Amino acid sequence: MTKAEQVLNWYMELDINVQLPEDIKVLNPYRDMSATTKDALVEFYARFYGDDKPRKLLMGINPGRLGAGLTGIPFTDTAALRSVGIEMPEVNTTETSAEFVWKLVEAYGGPERFFGDWFIGAVSPLGFIRLNDKGNWVNFNYYDDAEVFEMLKPFILDQLKLQIEIAGNATDAYLLGTGQNAKAMKTINDEYGLFKSITALEHPRFVMQYRRKRLDEYLDKFISILR
């Protein structure tokens, strides 16, 4: 079975069997995906993961509303897909984190080389939104509430094991997010011993929002570590 087949089978069966608080909803882009959006998803993975070669494992936090929460592909918006000739006609979005990651992909040597070396996933492959005090639904991370984190742990553990298998029995994890994501992953790894090592890098959104003037410096840092 190719990596593409493994990933797509996993995505199409993704669900969370957890009774979350009423003010939190799950973002599952795969559940009601249109035929044309699914075609683009299949094309992406068939093109870049149509083999059985092992990859190293790079993980974000969880999908956001404007990136993987719509496209189903971590750190990839429709602008990034368009750059490799893949169209999602019913979805149109740009996302800050995706912009950084795709600059990284190009600096690494292009998508064939990058995705040939790396599988990008997420600690939680499904995302969340929470109703705030103003009545707006906003992004919510799996670690933002200690009680919710404990509720999600069994789901997250299962998904981490699946991603380890998909990558090719990865023994090391590379994380995007040096703060709460790294802290939460350390908690999980201390408890379950999934990885020999965890290397945390700054989250793309942090770089683009607060360190954009040093973008080239961060790209060089990421390349030196990921290569």
Side-chain angles (χ1 to χ4, degrees):
M1 184 179 292
T2 66
K3 297 298 176 191
E5 290 169 324
Q6 286 181 279
V7 173
L8 293 169
N9 288 343
W10 170 48
Y11 283 165
M12 295 308 143
E13 295 176 1
L14 262 176
D15 201 5
I16 294 181
N17 188 24
V18 176
Q19 189 64 44
L20 294 170
E22 290 185 0
D23 63 341
I24 297 175
K25 291 182 180 179
V26 177
L27 287 176
N28 188 338
Y30 313 105
R31 182 177 296 156
D32 299 311
M33 185 173 278
S34 71
T36 54
T37 300
K38 185 176 179 180
D39 286 346
L41 180 78
V42 170
E43 182 179 352
F44 176 87
Y45 282 101
R47 185 185 301 184
F48 299 116
Y49 293 92
D51 57 68
D52 60 0
K53 189 184 81 170
R55 265 80 167 174
K56 291 171 282 189
L57 185 57
L58 177 64
M59 292 185 292
I61 300 169
N62 42 238
R65 293 174 302 147
L66 301 179
L70 289 174
T71 65
I73 305 169
F75 293 102
T76 299
D77 55 18
T78 53
L81 289 175
R82 209 169 293 122
S83 73
V84 292
I86 299 175
E87 294 288 342
M88 280 190 176
E90 297 171 12
V91 179
N92 185 29
T93 181
T94 57
E95 203 266 338
T96 303
S97 295
E99 181 185 354
F100 176 86
V101 168
W102 278 77
K103 287 181 182 296
L104 174 64
V105 167
E106 289 303 320
Y108 193 90
E112 285 79 10
R113 182 174 180 184
F114 184 87
F115 296 117
D117 288 346
W118 291 92
F119 174 69
I120 302 186
V123 177
S124 172
L126 295 181
F128 310 93
I129 50 176
R130 186 176 218 169
L131 190 65
N132 67 14
D133 294 339
K134 296 180 180 179
N136 299 318
W137 290 96
V138 297
N139 280 331
F140 176 84
N141 295 315
Y142 74 89
Y143 51 66
D144 282 342
D145 181 285
E147 185 177 343
V148 172
F149 177 43
E150 288 300 320
M151 295 168 69
L152 289 171
K153 259 189 185 179
F155 167 76
I156 288 172
L157 180 62
D158 287 344
Q159 303 312 310
L160 289 172
K161 289 178 178 177
L162 279 169
Q163 290 174 88
I164 289 169
E165 181 182 346
I166 288 170
N169 297 317
T171 58
D172 305 299
Y174 292 76
L175 281 187
L176 296 174
T178 55
Q180 291 296 98
N181 196 30
K183 181 179 178 181
M185 267 296 293
K186 185 178 186 304
T187 297
I188 293 169
N189 202 53
D190 286 349
E191 189 170 351
Y192 298 105
L194 297 174
F195 301 103
K196 291 180 180 178
S197 71
I198 297 175
T199 301
L201 294 158
E202 289 81 3
H203 195 275
R205 178 169 291 278
F206 168 81
V207 176
M208 298 303 278
Q209 275 192 282
Y210 303 108
R211 300 289 188 271
R212 187 181 280 264
K213 290 182 180 180
R214 295 168 56 192
L215 176 59
D216 289 343
E217 176 186 330
Y218 278 96
L219 288 172
D220 288 343
K221 174 184 176 179
F222 277 52
I223 292 293
S224 68
I225 291 173
L226 297 183
R227 278 190 181 158

Short mmCIF file of all heavy atoms in Angstrom, two decimals, residues 18-75:
data_model
loop_
_atom_site.label_atom_id
_atom_site.label_comp_id
_atom_site.label_asym_id
_atom_site.label_seq_id
_atom_site.Cartn_x
_atom_site.Cartn_y
_atom_site.Cartn_z
N VAL A 18 -15.77 11.64 21.32
CA VAL A 18 -15.64 12.30 22.62
C VAL A 18 -16.76 13.32 22.75
O VAL A 18 -17.02 14.09 21.82
CB VAL A 18 -14.27 13.02 22.76
CG1 VAL A 18 -14.19 13.78 24.07
CG2 VAL A 18 -13.13 12.02 22.66
N GLN A 19 -17.43 13.35 23.89
CA GLN A 19 -18.48 14.32 24.15
C GLN A 19 -17.85 15.60 24.67
O GLN A 19 -17.60 15.76 25.86
CB GLN A 19 -19.49 13.78 25.16
CG GLN A 19 -20.73 14.64 25.32
CD GLN A 19 -21.56 14.73 24.06
OE1 GLN A 19 -21.79 13.72 23.40
NE2 GLN A 19 -22.01 15.92 23.72
N LEU A 20 -17.56 16.53 23.75
CA LEU A 20 -16.91 17.78 24.11
C LEU A 20 -17.93 18.78 24.66
O LEU A 20 -19.14 18.64 24.42
CB LEU A 20 -16.22 18.38 22.89
CG LEU A 20 -15.04 17.57 22.32
CD1 LEU A 20 -14.60 18.14 20.98
CD2 LEU A 20 -13.88 17.56 23.30
N PRO A 21 -17.47 19.81 25.39
CA PRO A 21 -18.40 20.85 25.86
C PRO A 21 -19.18 21.47 24.70
O PRO A 21 -18.70 21.51 23.56
CB PRO A 21 -17.46 21.88 26.51
CG PRO A 21 -16.26 21.08 26.90
CD PRO A 21 -16.09 20.03 25.85
N GLU A 22 -20.37 22.00 24.99
CA GLU A 22 -21.25 22.51 23.95
C GLU A 22 -20.67 23.70 23.20
O GLU A 22 -21.07 23.98 22.06
CB GLU A 22 -22.60 22.90 24.55
CG GLU A 22 -23.43 21.70 25.01
CD GLU A 22 -24.80 22.09 25.49
OE1 GLU A 22 -25.12 23.30 25.47
OE2 GLU A 22 -25.58 21.20 25.91
N ASP A 23 -19.74 24.43 23.83
CA ASP A 23 -19.18 25.61 23.16
C ASP A 23 -17.96 25.27 22.30
O ASP A 23 -17.29 26.17 21.80
CB ASP A 23 -18.81 26.69 24.18
CG ASP A 23 -17.73 26.25 25.16
OD1 ASP A 23 -17.51 25.02 25.30
OD2 ASP A 23 -17.08 27.13 25.77
N ILE A 24 -17.69 23.98 22.10
CA ILE A 24 -16.58 23.55 21.26
C ILE A 24 -17.10 22.63 20.16
O ILE A 24 -17.85 21.69 20.43
CB ILE A 24 -15.49 22.81 22.08
CG1 ILE A 24 -14.88 23.76 23.11
CG2 ILE A 24 -14.39 22.26 21.16
CD1 ILE A 24 -13.88 23.09 24.05
N LYS A 25 -16.73 22.94 18.93
CA LYS A 25 -17.10 22.11 17.79
C LYS A 25 -15.84 21.56 17.12
O LYS A 25 -14.78 22.17 17.18
CB LYS A 25 -17.90 22.91 16.75
CG LYS A 25 -19.29 23.31 17.21
CD LYS A 25 -20.02 24.06 16.09
CE LYS A 25 -21.43 24.46 16.54
NZ LYS A 25 -22.12 25.20 15.45
N VAL A 26 -15.98 20.41 16.48
CA VAL A 26 -14.88 19.76 15.78
C VAL A 26 -14.85 20.21 14.33
O VAL A 26 -15.90 20.30 13.68
CB VAL A 26 -15.01 18.22 15.84
CG1 VAL A 26 -13.90 17.55 15.05
CG2 VAL A 26 -14.99 17.75 17.29
N LEU A 27 -13.65 20.53 13.83
CA LEU A 27 -13.46 20.82 12.40
C LEU A 27 -13.01 19.53 11.73
O LEU A 27 -11.89 19.07 11.93
CB LEU A 27 -12.37 21.89 12.21
CG LEU A 27 -12.68 23.33 12.56
CD1 LEU A 27 -11.42 24.19 12.37
CD2 LEU A 27 -13.81 23.88 11.70
N ASN A 28 -13.91 18.95 10.94
CA ASN A 28 -13.58 17.73 10.21
C ASN A 28 -13.80 17.99 8.73
O ASN A 28 -14.91 17.83 8.21
CB ASN A 28 -14.43 16.56 10.68
CG ASN A 28 -13.99 15.23 10.07
OD1 ASN A 28 -13.33 15.21 9.03
ND2 ASN A 28 -14.32 14.14 10.71
N PRO A 29 -12.74 18.41 8.00
CA PRO A 29 -12.90 18.75 6.59
C PRO A 29 -13.20 17.56 5.71
O PRO A 29 -13.62 17.72 4.56
CB PRO A 29 -11.54 19.37 6.22
CG PRO A 29 -10.58 18.74 7.18
CD PRO A 29 -11.35 18.56 8.46
N TYR A 30 -13.00 16.35 6.23
CA TYR A 30 -13.17 15.15 5.41
C TYR A 30 -14.60 14.61 5.44
O TYR A 30 -14.99 13.86 4.56
CB TYR A 30 -12.22 14.05 5.90
CG TYR A 30 -10.82 14.56 6.13
CD1 TYR A 30 -10.34 14.77 7.42
CD2 TYR A 30 -9.99 14.88 5.06
CE1 TYR A 30 -9.06 15.28 7.64
CE2 TYR A 30 -8.71 15.38 5.27
CZ TYR A 30 -8.26 15.58 6.56
OH TYR A 30 -7.01 16.09 6.77
N ARG A 31 -15.38 15.01 6.43
CA ARG A 31 -16.69 14.41 6.64
C ARG A 31 -17.66 14.73 5.51
O ARG A 31 -18.33 13.84 4.97
CB ARG A 31 -17.27 14.87 7.97
CG ARG A 31 -18.63 14.24 8.30
CD ARG A 31 -19.11 14.67 9.66
NE ARG A 31 -18.23 14.19 10.71
CZ ARG A 31 -18.13 14.75 11.91
NH1 ARG A 31 -18.81 15.84 12.19
NH2 ARG A 31 -17.32 14.25 12.83
N ASP A 32 -17.77 16.00 5.15
CA ASP A 32 -18.73 16.40 4.11
C ASP A 32 -18.00 17.05 2.93
O ASP A 32 -18.50 17.99 2.32
CB ASP A 32 -19.76 17.38 4.70
CG ASP A 32 -20.56 16.75 5.83
OD1 ASP A 32 -21.06 15.63 5.63
OD2 ASP A 32 -20.67 17.38 6.90
N MET A 33 -16.83 16.55 2.62
CA MET A 33 -16.02 17.12 1.54
C MET A 33 -16.70 16.92 0.19
O MET A 33 -17.20 15.84 -0.12
CB MET A 33 -14.64 16.44 1.56
CG MET A 33 -13.64 16.99 0.59
SD MET A 33 -11.99 16.24 0.84
CE MET A 33 -11.37 17.20 2.22
N SER A 34 -16.72 17.99 -0.61
CA SER A 34 -17.32 17.89 -1.94
C SER A 34 -16.47 17.01 -2.83
O SER A 34 -15.28 16.75 -2.56
CB SER A 34 -17.44 19.28 -2.57
OG SER A 34 -16.16 19.77 -2.92
N ALA A 35 -17.05 16.55 -3.93
CA ALA A 35 -16.33 15.65 -4.84
C ALA A 35 -15.11 16.33 -5.44
O ALA A 35 -14.05 15.71 -5.57
CB ALA A 35 -17.28 15.19 -5.95
N THR A 36 -15.21 17.62 -5.80
CA THR A 36 -14.08 18.31 -6.42
C THR A 36 -12.96 18.58 -5.41
O THR A 36 -11.78 18.51 -5.75
CB THR A 36 -14.53 19.63 -7.06
OG1 THR A 36 -15.22 20.43 -6.08
CG2 THR A 36 -15.45 19.39 -8.25
N THR A 37 -13.33 18.88 -4.16
CA THR A 37 -12.32 19.08 -3.13
C THR A 37 -11.62 17.76 -2.82
O THR A 37 -10.39 17.72 -2.66
CB THR A 37 -12.95 19.67 -1.86
OG1 THR A 37 -13.55 20.94 -2.18
CG2 THR A 37 -11.92 19.89 -0.77
N LYS A 38 -12.38 16.68 -2.76
CA LYS A 38 -11.78 15.37 -2.53
C LYS A 38 -10.86 14.99 -3.68
O LYS A 38 -9.78 14.41 -3.46
CB LYS A 38 -12.86 14.30 -2.35
CG LYS A 38 -12.30 12.94 -1.99
CD LYS A 38 -13.39 11.91 -1.73
CE LYS A 38 -12.80 10.57 -1.39
NZ LYS A 38 -13.85 9.55 -1.15
N ASP A 39 -11.25 15.32 -4.90
CA ASP A 39 -10.39 15.04 -6.05
C ASP A 39 -9.03 15.72 -5.91
O ASP A 39 -7.99 15.15 -6.22
CB ASP A 39 -11.06 15.50 -7.36
CG ASP A 39 -12.19 14.59 -7.79
OD1 ASP A 39 -12.31 13.47 -7.26
OD2 ASP A 39 -12.99 15.02 -8.66
N ALA A 40 -9.06 17.00 -5.44
CA ALA A 40 -7.81 17.74 -5.25
C ALA A 40 -6.97 17.12 -4.13
O ALA A 40 -5.74 17.02 -4.24
CB ALA A 40 -8.13 19.20 -4.93
N LEU A 41 -7.62 16.70 -3.05
CA LEU A 41 -6.93 16.04 -1.94
C LEU A 41 -6.24 14.76 -2.43
O LEU A 41 -5.06 14.53 -2.15
CB LEU A 41 -7.94 15.70 -0.85
CG LEU A 41 -7.42 14.99 0.40
CD1 LEU A 41 -6.73 15.98 1.33
CD2 LEU A 41 -8.56 14.29 1.14
N VAL A 42 -6.98 13.95 -3.19
CA VAL A 42 -6.43 12.70 -3.73
C VAL A 42 -5.27 12.99 -4.67
O VAL A 42 -4.24 12.31 -4.64
CB VAL A 42 -7.53 11.90 -4.45
CG1 VAL A 42 -6.93 10.73 -5.22
CG2 VAL A 42 -8.58 11.40 -3.45
N GLU A 43 -5.42 14.04 -5.51
CA GLU A 43 -4.35 14.38 -6.46
C GLU A 43 -3.08 14.78 -5.73
O GLU A 43 -1.97 14.38 -6.12
CB GLU A 43 -4.81 15.52 -7.37
CG GLU A 43 -3.78 15.90 -8.43
CD GLU A 43 -4.23 17.01 -9.35
OE1 GLU A 43 -5.42 17.41 -9.28
OE2 GLU A 43 -3.39 17.51 -10.14
N PHE A 44 -3.23 15.57 -4.66
CA PHE A 44 -2.05 16.01 -3.90
C PHE A 44 -1.29 14.80 -3.34
O PHE A 44 -0.07 14.67 -3.52
CB PHE A 44 -2.46 16.93 -2.76
CG PHE A 44 -1.32 17.35 -1.87
CD1 PHE A 44 -0.55 18.45 -2.19
CD2 PHE A 44 -1.01 16.63 -0.72
CE1 PHE A 44 0.52 18.83 -1.38
CE2 PHE A 44 0.06 17.00 0.09
CZ PHE A 44 0.81 18.11 -0.24
N TYR A 45 -2.00 13.90 -2.66
CA TYR A 45 -1.30 12.78 -2.03
C TYR A 45 -0.81 11.76 -3.05
O TYR A 45 0.27 11.17 -2.87
CB TYR A 45 -2.19 12.15 -0.95
CG TYR A 45 -2.17 12.98 0.31
CD1 TYR A 45 -3.22 13.83 0.61
CD2 TYR A 45 -1.07 12.95 1.15
CE1 TYR A 45 -3.18 14.63 1.75
CE2 TYR A 45 -1.03 13.75 2.28
CZ TYR A 45 -2.08 14.59 2.58
OH TYR A 45 -2.02 15.39 3.69
N ALA A 46 -1.55 11.58 -4.13
CA ALA A 46 -1.08 10.66 -5.17
C ALA A 46 0.21 11.18 -5.80
O ALA A 46 1.12 10.40 -6.12
CB ALA A 46 -2.15 10.49 -6.24
N ARG A 47 0.30 12.50 -5.95
CA ARG A 47 1.48 13.08 -6.59
C ARG A 47 2.71 13.02 -5.70
O ARG A 47 3.81 12.70 -6.15
CB ARG A 47 1.21 14.54 -6.98
CG ARG A 47 2.37 15.14 -7.77
CD ARG A 47 2.19 16.62 -8.07
NE ARG A 47 0.99 16.89 -8.84
CZ ARG A 47 0.67 18.12 -9.28
NH1 ARG A 47 1.48 19.15 -9.01
NH2 ARG A 47 -0.43 18.32 -9.95
N PHE A 48 2.54 13.32 -4.42
CA PHE A 48 3.70 13.47 -3.54
C PHE A 48 3.93 12.28 -2.59
O PHE A 48 5.00 12.19 -1.98
CB PHE A 48 3.59 14.76 -2.73
CG PHE A 48 3.54 16.00 -3.60
CD1 PHE A 48 2.44 16.82 -3.62
CD2 PHE A 48 4.61 16.30 -4.43
CE1 PHE A 48 2.39 17.95 -4.42
CE2 PHE A 48 4.58 17.43 -5.25
CZ PHE A 48 3.47 18.26 -5.24
N TYR A 49 2.95 11.38 -2.50
CA TYR A 49 3.09 10.23 -1.60
C TYR A 49 2.68 8.92 -2.27
O TYR A 49 2.26 7.98 -1.59
CB TYR A 49 2.26 10.46 -0.33
CG TYR A 49 2.77 11.59 0.53
CD1 TYR A 49 2.29 12.89 0.37
CD2 TYR A 49 3.76 11.37 1.48
CE1 TYR A 49 2.77 13.94 1.14
CE2 TYR A 49 4.25 12.41 2.25
CZ TYR A 49 3.76 13.69 2.08
OH TYR A 49 4.24 14.72 2.84
N GLY A 50 2.83 8.86 -3.57
CA GLY A 50 2.43 7.67 -4.31
C GLY A 50 3.47 6.58 -4.31
O GLY A 50 3.76 5.98 -5.36
N ASP A 51 4.08 6.32 -3.17
CA ASP A 51 5.11 5.29 -3.03
C ASP A 51 5.05 4.75 -1.60
O ASP A 51 4.20 5.18 -0.81
CB ASP A 51 6.50 5.88 -3.32
CG ASP A 51 6.82 7.06 -2.41
OD1 ASP A 51 6.99 6.84 -1.20
OD2 ASP A 51 6.88 8.22 -2.90
N ASP A 52 5.92 3.83 -1.28
CA ASP A 52 5.92 3.28 0.09
C ASP A 52 7.19 3.62 0.86
O ASP A 52 7.54 2.98 1.84
CB ASP A 52 5.71 1.77 0.05
CG ASP A 52 6.80 1.03 -0.73
OD1 ASP A 52 7.73 1.70 -1.25
OD2 ASP A 52 6.72 -0.21 -0.82
N LYS A 53 7.88 4.66 0.42
CA LYS A 53 9.14 5.05 1.05
C LYS A 53 8.88 5.71 2.42
O LYS A 53 7.99 6.55 2.54
CB LYS A 53 9.88 6.05 0.15
CG LYS A 53 11.29 6.36 0.60
CD LYS A 53 11.93 7.43 -0.29
CE LYS A 53 11.48 8.82 0.12
NZ LYS A 53 12.24 9.89 -0.56
N PRO A 54 9.65 5.36 3.45
CA PRO A 54 9.48 6.00 4.77
C PRO A 54 9.79 7.50 4.71
O PRO A 54 10.63 7.95 3.92
CB PRO A 54 10.50 5.28 5.65
CG PRO A 54 10.81 4.01 4.94
CD PRO A 54 10.68 4.31 3.49
N ARG A 55 9.11 8.24 5.54
CA ARG A 55 9.37 9.67 5.71
C ARG A 55 9.68 9.97 7.17
O ARG A 55 9.37 9.18 8.06
CB ARG A 55 8.12 10.49 5.33
CG ARG A 55 8.07 11.00 3.90
CD ARG A 55 7.64 9.96 2.95
NE ARG A 55 7.31 10.53 1.64
CZ ARG A 55 7.02 9.79 0.59
NH1 ARG A 55 7.00 8.46 0.67
NH2 ARG A 55 6.73 10.36 -0.57
N LYS A 56 10.24 11.15 7.39
CA LYS A 56 10.35 11.67 8.75
C LYS A 56 9.04 12.39 9.08
O LYS A 56 8.30 12.79 8.19
CB LYS A 56 11.56 12.60 8.85
CG LYS A 56 12.89 11.85 8.75
CD LYS A 56 14.07 12.79 8.62
CE LYS A 56 14.21 13.34 7.20
NZ LYS A 56 15.47 14.09 6.99
N LEU A 57 8.77 12.54 10.37
CA LEU A 57 7.47 13.02 10.82
C LEU A 57 7.55 14.44 11.37
O LEU A 57 8.26 14.70 12.33
CB LEU A 57 6.93 12.07 11.89
CG LEU A 57 5.52 12.32 12.43
CD1 LEU A 57 4.49 12.33 11.30
CD2 LEU A 57 5.17 11.26 13.48
N LEU A 58 6.81 15.35 10.74
CA LEU A 58 6.72 16.75 11.14
C LEU A 58 5.27 17.04 11.47
O LEU A 58 4.39 16.80 10.64
CB LEU A 58 7.21 17.65 10.00
CG LEU A 58 7.13 19.16 10.19
CD1 LEU A 58 8.05 19.63 11.32
CD2 LEU A 58 7.51 19.88 8.89
N MET A 59 5.00 17.56 12.67
CA MET A 59 3.62 17.74 13.10
C MET A 59 3.33 19.15 13.59
O MET A 59 4.12 19.75 14.32
CB MET A 59 3.29 16.75 14.22
CG MET A 59 3.25 15.30 13.76
SD MET A 59 2.72 14.20 15.08
CE MET A 59 4.14 14.34 16.17
N GLY A 60 2.18 19.65 13.18
CA GLY A 60 1.67 20.89 13.71
C GLY A 60 0.78 20.64 14.92
O GLY A 60 0.87 19.59 15.57
N ILE A 61 -0.08 21.60 15.22
CA ILE A 61 -0.94 21.52 16.41
C ILE A 61 -2.23 20.79 16.05
O ILE A 61 -2.45 19.66 16.41
CB ILE A 61 -1.22 22.93 16.95
CG1 ILE A 61 0.09 23.63 17.33
CG2 ILE A 61 -2.17 22.87 18.14
CD1 ILE A 61 -0.04 25.12 17.61
N ASN A 62 -3.11 21.48 15.36
CA ASN A 62 -4.35 20.92 14.82
C ASN A 62 -4.82 21.85 13.70
O ASN A 62 -4.42 23.02 13.65
CB ASN A 62 -5.42 20.75 15.89
CG ASN A 62 -5.54 21.89 16.88
OD1 ASN A 62 -5.41 21.70 18.08
ND2 ASN A 62 -5.78 23.10 16.39
N PRO A 63 -5.62 21.36 12.77
CA PRO A 63 -6.03 22.21 11.63
C PRO A 63 -6.74 23.48 12.08
O PRO A 63 -7.50 23.48 13.06
CB PRO A 63 -7.00 21.30 10.86
CG PRO A 63 -6.61 19.91 11.25
CD PRO A 63 -6.15 20.01 12.67
N GLY A 64 -6.48 24.57 11.35
CA GLY A 64 -7.17 25.83 11.58
C GLY A 64 -8.28 26.02 10.56
O GLY A 64 -8.37 25.30 9.56
N ARG A 65 -9.11 27.01 10.79
CA ARG A 65 -10.30 27.23 9.95
C ARG A 65 -9.96 27.54 8.50
O ARG A 65 -10.72 27.20 7.60
CB ARG A 65 -11.13 28.39 10.51
CG ARG A 65 -11.77 28.12 11.85
CD ARG A 65 -12.45 29.37 12.37
NE ARG A 65 -11.51 30.47 12.50
CZ ARG A 65 -11.81 31.75 12.31
NH1 ARG A 65 -13.02 32.10 11.94
NH2 ARG A 65 -10.89 32.68 12.48
N LEU A 66 -8.83 28.21 8.26
CA LEU A 66 -8.55 28.70 6.91
C LEU A 66 -7.48 27.92 6.16
O LEU A 66 -7.19 28.22 5.02
CB LEU A 66 -8.14 30.18 6.98
CG LEU A 66 -9.16 31.12 7.61
CD1 LEU A 66 -8.63 32.55 7.65
CD2 LEU A 66 -10.49 31.06 6.86
N GLY A 67 -6.89 26.92 6.81
CA GLY A 67 -5.87 26.10 6.16
C GLY A 67 -6.37 24.69 5.97
O GLY A 67 -7.26 24.42 5.17
N ALA A 68 -5.80 23.77 6.75
CA ALA A 68 -6.18 22.36 6.65
C ALA A 68 -7.63 22.13 7.07
O ALA A 68 -8.23 21.13 6.67
CB ALA A 68 -5.26 21.49 7.50
N GLY A 69 -8.22 23.06 7.83
CA GLY A 69 -9.62 22.93 8.19
C GLY A 69 -10.54 23.03 7.00
O GLY A 69 -11.70 22.63 7.06
N LEU A 70 -10.02 23.54 5.88
CA LEU A 70 -10.78 23.62 4.64
C LEU A 70 -10.24 22.67 3.57
O LEU A 70 -11.00 21.98 2.90
CB LEU A 70 -10.79 25.05 4.09
CG LEU A 70 -11.63 26.07 4.87
CD1 LEU A 70 -11.41 27.46 4.29
CD2 LEU A 70 -13.11 25.71 4.79
N THR A 71 -8.92 22.64 3.41
CA THR A 71 -8.33 21.83 2.34
C THR A 71 -8.13 20.38 2.74
O THR A 71 -8.05 19.50 1.88
CB THR A 71 -6.96 22.39 1.92
OG1 THR A 71 -6.04 22.28 3.02
CG2 THR A 71 -7.06 23.85 1.48
N GLY A 72 -8.00 20.12 4.04
CA GLY A 72 -7.71 18.77 4.51
C GLY A 72 -6.24 18.40 4.45
O GLY A 72 -5.86 17.29 4.82
N ILE A 73 -5.39 19.33 4.01
CA ILE A 73 -3.95 19.07 3.87
C ILE A 73 -3.21 19.98 4.83
O ILE A 73 -3.30 21.21 4.72
CB ILE A 73 -3.47 19.32 2.43
CG1 ILE A 73 -4.30 18.49 1.44
CG2 ILE A 73 -1.98 19.01 2.29
CD1 ILE A 73 -4.08 18.87 -0.02
N PRO A 74 -2.47 19.45 5.80
CA PRO A 74 -1.82 20.29 6.81
C PRO A 74 -0.94 21.38 6.21
O PRO A 74 -0.18 21.14 5.28
CB PRO A 74 -0.97 19.28 7.61
CG PRO A 74 -1.72 18.00 7.47
CD PRO A 74 -2.27 18.01 6.08
N PHE A 75 -1.09 22.59 6.76
CA PHE A 75 -0.30 23.76 6.37
C PHE A 75 -0.36 24.03 4.86
O PHE A 75 0.62 24.45 4.25
CB PHE A 75 1.16 23.59 6.83
CG PHE A 75 1.29 23.61 8.32
CD1 PHE A 75 1.45 22.43 9.03
CD2 PHE A 75 1.23 24.80 9.03
CE1 PHE A 75 1.56 22.42 10.42
CE2 PHE A 75 1.33 24.82 10.42
CZ PHE A 75 1.50 23.63 11.11
#
